[in-house]
């Protein structure tokens, strides 16, 4: 005879690797989503106590308040260099940077390219929301052609202001990069894919395979002047055509990892 | 250990290794490059970290990262490269981290040239980065002294949680002299022997954050005061200065590094002529040997500052002496070292009573220099 | 019969962004119009029966404010 017993089980709860702190992010900002995914991955891999984060400058400057690991705070754009310094003296620690598009793809382009070229065994979480959020929505290297920002008020004119940077594609051309992918945070399916990519990036680091970067297409409802829901739609309709979701470099040693 | 012939840059590198250097990050720039080249094989040989960075900006931020773990870490560069490092030096200071920087100065401003100069005095001694901070500045005048100061620079940096700068000009970096190396110290084990503030992964303890951000102005003010209080201890404990023939001196020459060394030759020559002159050679430029100079201001009739910059240290001497005695300037720039004869002439001028409190000594020096060009 | 679930929204974290409201396949989440959080937002809440505990709300929540439970039927040998 078999009896059935109905029990309630927890399907989802806040990860331990996330601090019990209210974020300063605007309602709907996907920085929070990205933080949460990193924290979930650290929990799953059981590496919270072996991880050192490197916060950058921009809205994510306070990432160290929210992700529950040891943290250092880099000057604007220099997180990959600082992460290099940490990793080289503590090679058995997991070291990741968390950088926005202005930080990584503009002022920090030198440091990120050099770190990738060296095959530095660090993980980079790159948030692309097409503008400088912290300073109030100025044009970023990732601002789309025609997109209005507070420093491109009539829309980005590529004849004058140049073209957006597809950063992970660029980094993927370097032999030192073992994992370079783009994901999006605009719907549940893509968020799940993003988490798998972040997990894979940390697995790359665990195996000592070198540089890993995950670009996360994100929204900035406040500076875009939209509701969070409108912003998600805008991301899907305008950003993904310019910044395709995909794997641009995947080291063969982790190509078949499944989580 | 026996005395051996060492090139200045190599000697500094080996002294740092023996002091327990765990990580070096640098970028090639003349006249410092041998230091980087030496460590490029020496550090890996010992299983320690060496990275040739993409730039001085990269190098100083790698130092910043490594310093956060409590490791003994160093970079080296020369004037234009050090300018590029100013951002990171301010952040290191704001985060209260120990680190060592070797600056092998060359001619400037701008790209300048690769000949020896002392034009980094202001950017190192008075801080080229933003905010209120101090770096502990050690100025050797020989290869042996460079070795000895480099060896203690890490202890000083860690004791006071400051950046220590070993400041020398290209001639000391490039010259070969006999020097005796100190004993090899064991390297610090991380994370076991890390200081209590270090970020090493929150293994079985509360997590730590190292940052230079204090968003609330009162917190920022408090942090600044904490840093400055620690610096007061440096001023109280760490002033270093060497004096020569000062006991009965009626005239004093003040010079550091190579300029001090040239000045010593001139002082000896002047003594041979019967001029009662001595030399004050500051070894710490920050903290500046103020009390010693104040004391001599009450003893001598006039002073002469000898430097390889346009009176950068002169202003500190004038500030300390406060007009009690005239202070004159003998300087060469742009990669030219003053000759002992030039300094001797300037000493003779002091002995003739030509030094004056009138006007500014830089004006008179410029007038003399106008005869050359 | 679909599985039964429930959610709890931690109102310390919730900022009323409505991403969970829009993502919920059962349309059982809404902002609570009758109250505001300490930060001044109408918080999200489970307002109807029909939650399956699918956890999609927690996947889209930027604040990790939602805990999700689901009833699981376990067969226990007697």
């Amino acid at each position: 005879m078999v009896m059935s017993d109905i029990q309630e089980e927890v399907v989802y709860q806040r990860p331990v690797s996330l601090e019990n702190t209210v974020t300063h992010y605007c309602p709907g900002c996907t920085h929070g989503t990205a933080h949460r995914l990193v924290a979930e991955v650290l929990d799953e891999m059981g590496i919270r106590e072996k991880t050192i984060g490197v916060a950058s400058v921009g809205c994510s400057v306070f990432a160290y308040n929210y992700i529950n690991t040891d943290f250092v705070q880099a000057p604007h754009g220099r997180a990959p260099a600082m992460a290099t310094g940490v990793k080289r003296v503590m090679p058995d620690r997991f070291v990741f940077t968390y950088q926005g598009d202005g930080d990584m793809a503009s002022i920090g382009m030198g440091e990120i390219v050099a770190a990738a070229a060296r095959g530095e065994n660090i993980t980079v979480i790159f948030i692309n929301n097409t503008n400088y959020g912290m300073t109030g929505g100025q044009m970023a290297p990732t601002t789309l052609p025609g997109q209005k920002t507070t420093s491109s008020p009539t829309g980005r004119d590529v004849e004058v202001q140049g073209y957006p940077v597809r950063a992970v594609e660029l980094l993927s051309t370097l032999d030192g990069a073992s994992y370079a992918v783009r994901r999006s945070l605009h719907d549940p399916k893509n968020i799940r894919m993003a988490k798998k990519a972040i997990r894979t990036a940390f697995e790359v680091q665990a195996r000592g395979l070198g540089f890993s970067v995950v670009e996360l297409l994100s929204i900035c409802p406040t500076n875009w002047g939209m509701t969070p829901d409108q912003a998600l739609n805008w991301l899907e309709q305008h950003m993904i055509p310019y910044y395709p979701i995909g794997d641009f470099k995947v080291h063969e040693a982790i190509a078949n990892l499944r989580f | 250990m026996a005395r051996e012939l060492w090139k200045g840059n190599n000697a500094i590198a080996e002294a740092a290794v023996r002091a327990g250097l765990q990580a070096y990050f640098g970028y090639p720039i003349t006249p410092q490059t041998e230091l980087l080249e030496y460590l490029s094989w020496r550090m890996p040989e010992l299983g320690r970290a060496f990275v040739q960075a993409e730039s001085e900006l990269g190098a100083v931020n790698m130092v910043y990262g490594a310093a956060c773990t409590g490791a003994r870490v160093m970079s080296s560069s020369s004037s234009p490269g050090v300018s590029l490092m100013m951002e990171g030096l301010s952040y290191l200071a704001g985060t209260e981290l120990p680190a060592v920087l070797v600056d092998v100065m060359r001619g400037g401003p701008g790209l300048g040239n690769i000949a020896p100069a002392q034009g980094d005095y202001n950017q190192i001694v008075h801080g080229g980065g933003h905010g209120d901070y101090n770096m502990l500045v050690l100025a050797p005048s020989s290869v042996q002294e460079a070795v000895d100061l480099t060896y203690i620079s890490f202890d000083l940096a860690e004791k006071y949680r400051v950046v220590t700068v070993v400041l020398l000009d290209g001639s000391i970096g490039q010259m070969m002299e006999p020097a005796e190396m100190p004993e090899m110290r064991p390297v610090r084990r991380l994370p076991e022997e890390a200081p209590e503030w270090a970020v090493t992964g929150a293994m079985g303890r509360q997590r730590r954050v190292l940052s230079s951000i204090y968003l609330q102005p009162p917190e920022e003010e408090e942090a600044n005061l904490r840093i400055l209080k620690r610096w007061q201890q440096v001023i109280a404990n760490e002033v270093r200065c060497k004096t020569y023939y000062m006991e009965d001196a009626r005239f004093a020459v003040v010079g550091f590094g190579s300029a001090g060394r040239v000045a010593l030759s001139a002082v000896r020559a002047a003594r041979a002529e019967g001029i009662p002159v001595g030399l004050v050679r500051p070894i710490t430029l920050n903290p500046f040997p103020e009390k010693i100079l104040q004391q001599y201001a009450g003893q001598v009739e006039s002073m002469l500052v000898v430097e390889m910059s346009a009176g950068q240290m002169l202003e500190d001497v004038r500030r300390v002496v406060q007009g009690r005695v005239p202070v004159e300037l003998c300087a060469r720039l742009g990669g030219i070292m003053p000759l002992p004869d030039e300094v001797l002439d300037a000493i003779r001028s002091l002995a003739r009573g030509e030094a004056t409190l009138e006007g500014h000594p830089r004006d008179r020096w410029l007038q003399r220099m106008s005869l050359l060009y | 019969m679909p599985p039964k679930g429930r959610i709890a929204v931690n109102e310390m974290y919730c900022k009323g962004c409505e991403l969970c409201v829009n993502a919920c396949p059962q349309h059982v989440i809404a902002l609570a119009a009758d109250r505001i959080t300490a930060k001044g937002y109408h918080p999200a809440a489970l307002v109807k029966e029909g939650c399956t505990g699918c956890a999609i709300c927690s996947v889209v929540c930027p604040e990790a404010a939602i805990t999700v439970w689901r009833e699981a039927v376990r067969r226990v040998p007697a």
Side-chain angles (χ1 to χ4, degrees):
Chain A
M1 182 182 156
V2 173
M3 279 174 57
S4 60
D5 175 31
I6 296 177
Q7 285 196 342
E8 197 176 51
E9 59 188 35
V10 173
V11 184
Y12 185 84
Q13 62 187 351
R14 193 177 171 86
V16 175
S17 294
L18 216 50
E19 273 285 353
N20 295 323
T21 306
V22 180
T23 70
H24 71 291
Y25 299 119
C26 304
C29 174
T30 43
H31 264 306
T33 316
H35 286 12
R36 202 194 72 218
L37 298 183
V38 170
E40 287 174 15
V41 166
L42 298 181
D43 277 11
E44 283 176 14
M45 293 176 71
I47 57 173
R48 186 188 72 81
E49 294 187 331
K50 288 188 75 179
T51 298
I52 297 167
V54 184
S56 60
V57 172
C59 275
S60 54
V61 67
F62 299 118
Y64 59 77
N65 281 333
Y66 311 135
I67 298 174
N68 184 15
T69 64
D70 267 15
F71 246 96
V72 298
Q73 163 62 52
H76 200 16
R78 319 290 172 236
M82 221 177 156
T84 299
V86 174
K87 186 75 180 183
R88 291 292 180 124
V89 288
M90 305 212 77
D92 67 333
R93 293 298 190 261
F94 289 86
V95 179
F96 74 98
T97 72
Y98 186 104
Q99 304 175 260
D101 39 20
D103 190 271
M104 195 199 85
S106 186
I107 194 169
M109 193 56 118
E111 285 73 21
I112 193 70
V113 168
R118 281 194 306 269
E120 211 61 60
N121 196 30
I122 59 172
T123 296
V124 174
I125 307 299
F126 171 49
I127 305 296
N128 176 358
N129 62 9
T130 73
N131 77 141
Y132 284 82
M134 183 63 117
T135 44
Q138 293 75 30
M139 185 180 71
T142 47
T143 295
L144 294 175
Q147 186 182 346
K148 287 182 182 174
T149 70
T150 58
S151 60
S152 58
T154 58
R156 182 178 190 152
D157 177 355
V158 295
E159 294 298 319
V160 180
Q161 289 146 327
Y163 292 86
V165 174
R166 293 187 183 92
V168 279
E169 284 91 327
L170 189 154
L171 295 171
S172 72
T173 64
L174 299 164
D175 289 347
S178 283
Y179 189 65
V181 302
R182 180 180 293 114
R183 297 290 185 265
S184 175
L185 300 176
H186 73 281
D187 66 19
K189 175 177 160 247
N190 279 282
I191 292 170
R192 288 196 170 109
M193 285 168 59
K195 182 177 165 184
K196 284 181 182 170
I198 294 168
R199 172 72 187 265
T200 307
F202 277 94
E203 295 286 353
V204 167
Q205 191 176 158
R207 287 161 175 74
L209 297 174
F211 184 84
S212 54
V213 56
V214 179
E215 175 172 341
L216 299 171
L217 300 182
S218 297
I219 60 170
C220 186
T222 301
N223 286 313
W224 292 0
M226 300 177 193
T227 66
D229 197 48
Q230 288 169 336
L232 293 180
N233 287 329
W234 192 89
L235 184 164
E236 187 174 12
Q237 285 165 24
H238 296 91
M239 287 179 71
I240 292 176
Y242 203 95
Y243 298 112
I245 294 164
D247 297 352
F248 304 100
K249 184 75 160 287
V250 178
H251 192 286
E252 57 190 24
I254 40 100
N256 297 315
L257 277 187
R258 293 288 176 269
F259 310 110
Chain B
M1 196 161 289
R3 279 158 70 84
E4 292 174 300
L5 206 54
W6 281 93
K7 184 169 191 160
N9 285 334
N10 292 345
I12 290 170
E14 181 60 26
V17 164
R18 292 177 185 228
L21 180 69
Q22 282 163 288
Y24 172 89
F25 307 95
Y27 187 82
I29 181 170
T30 312
Q32 159 272 167
T33 306
E34 296 84 0
L35 214 161
L36 169 125
E37 288 176 336
Y38 185 94
L39 291 173
S40 73
W41 60 265
R42 185 65 168 138
M43 294 294 277
E45 176 182 84
L46 297 165
R48 308 183 194 179
F50 170 93
V51 178
Q52 180 173 325
E54 64 272 21
S55 66
E56 289 87 352
L57 205 49
V60 75
N61 283 289
M62 291 174 194
V63 167
Y64 188 19
C68 287
T69 70
R72 288 207 149 178
V73 55
M74 181 174 91
S75 186
S76 60
S77 189
S78 179
S79 312
V82 172
S83 299
L84 206 50
M85 288 184 171
M86 284 300 157
E87 174 189 81
L89 295 173
S90 173
Y91 277 75
L92 280 158
T95 316
E96 302 168 61
L97 294 172
V100 173
L101 170 67
V102 180
D103 178 2
V104 188
M105 293 180 283
R106 62 187 247 183
L111 204 48
N113 60 35
I114 59 171
Q118 295 180 329
D120 289 11
Y121 183 92
N122 276 344
Q123 80 161 346
I124 294 295
V125 171
H126 295 303
H130 61 283
D132 283 292
Y133 73 96
N134 286 277
M135 298 190 290
L136 207 166
V137 185
L138 303 167
S141 73
S142 68
V143 173
Q144 182 66 61
E145 197 173 34
V147 166
D148 297 342
L149 292 177
T150 302
Y151 196 63
I152 62 165
S153 64
F154 295 91
D155 296 328
L156 291 171
E158 286 167 8
K159 183 173 179 188
Y160 300 104
R161 293 178 67 173
V162 293
V163 174
T164 301
V165 181
V166 180
L167 185 71
L168 59 150
D169 64 76
S171 69
I172 297 168
Q174 293 295 323
M175 72 169 61
M176 292 192 77
E177 282 188 322
E180 190 176 336
M181 280 294 155
E183 65 180 51
M184 181 75 92
R185 286 198 206 160
V187 294
R188 178 173 295 141
R189 287 178 304 122
L190 294 177
E192 298 82 3
E193 296 170 1
E196 73 287 351
W197 45 260
V199 159
T200 54
M203 196 78 84
R205 60 156 168 79
Q206 284 285 308
R207 75 192 191 96
R208 296 175 189 152
V209 175
L210 283 174
S211 162
S212 60
I213 296 182
Y214 298 93
L215 217 53
Q216 301 303 321
E219 289 175 18
E220 179 71 277
E221 186 174 55
E222 190 187 1
N224 269 278
L225 292 174
R226 181 174 65 240
I227 292 167
L228 283 167
K229 273 183 190 156
R230 216 179 282 132
W231 182 253
Q232 294 298 105
Q233 293 298 307
V234 179
I235 294 173
N237 302 335
E238 303 301 342
V239 171
R240 286 171 167 76
C241 182
K242 196 152 185 192
T243 58
Y244 306 79
Y245 311 108
M246 281 305 297
E247 206 163 297
D248 62 341
R250 283 168 48 215
F251 307 99
V253 179
V254 187
F256 73 95
S258 288
R261 194 169 164 145
V262 173
L264 181 58
S265 302
V267 163
R268 284 183 176 136
R271 279 275 171 181
E273 294 178 7
I275 301 173
V277 61
L279 172 68
V280 179
R281 183 168 66 80
I283 292 171
T284 53
L285 299 178
N286 198 22
F288 199 62
E290 299 189 358
K291 283 187 184 155
I292 296 160
L293 281 168
Q294 277 161 0
Q295 178 202 319
Y296 287 128
Q299 173 186 323
V300 301
E301 291 169 28
S302 58
M303 292 189 183
L304 175 72
V305 173
V306 180
E307 59 183 299
M308 288 145 67
S309 53
Q312 294 187 26
M313 188 174 75
L314 169 72
E315 297 301 345
D316 278 337
V317 175
R318 278 165 54 84
R319 173 176 58 78
V320 169
V321 168
Q322 292 181 335
R324 291 165 67 195
V325 292
V327 181
E328 296 292 344
L329 174 65
C330 174
R332 295 306 298 267
L333 309 172
I336 296 176
M337 292 179 71
L339 295 170
D341 282 352
E342 290 176 79
V343 182
L344 180 58
D345 280 347
I347 293 170
R348 287 178 184 140
S349 172
L350 292 195
R352 289 194 297 271
E354 289 167 6
T356 171
L357 287 166
E358 299 293 313
H360 196 288
R362 189 181 288 105
D363 295 341
R364 292 187 286 280
W365 167 72
L366 275 172
Q367 220 160 22
R368 291 196 298 278
M369 290 299 285
S370 66
L371 301 174
L372 288 179
Y373 297 97
Chain C
M1 206 175 80
K4 280 183 73 175
R6 70 181 171 97
I7 65 167
V9 177
N10 187 327
E11 295 188 4
M12 180 174 93
Y13 299 120
C14 179
K15 293 173 183 163
C17 72
E18 291 193 291
L19 292 185
C20 58
V21 174
N22 297 326
C24 175
Q26 307 302 324
H27 310 291
V28 294
I29 307 175
L31 296 192
D34 60 337
R35 64 181 190 280
I36 56 170
T37 67
K39 279 193 164 271
Y41 300 111
H42 290 295
L46 193 62
V47 293
K48 280 189 243 174
E49 298 242 327
C51 174
T52 63
C54 72
I56 281 177
C57 53
S58 67
V59 171
V60 299
C61 177
E63 306 300 334
I66 306 175
T67 307
V68 184
W69 292 268
R70 179 160 39 188
E71 285 183 357
V73 180
R74 286 200 313 176
R75 289 174 198 281
V76 185

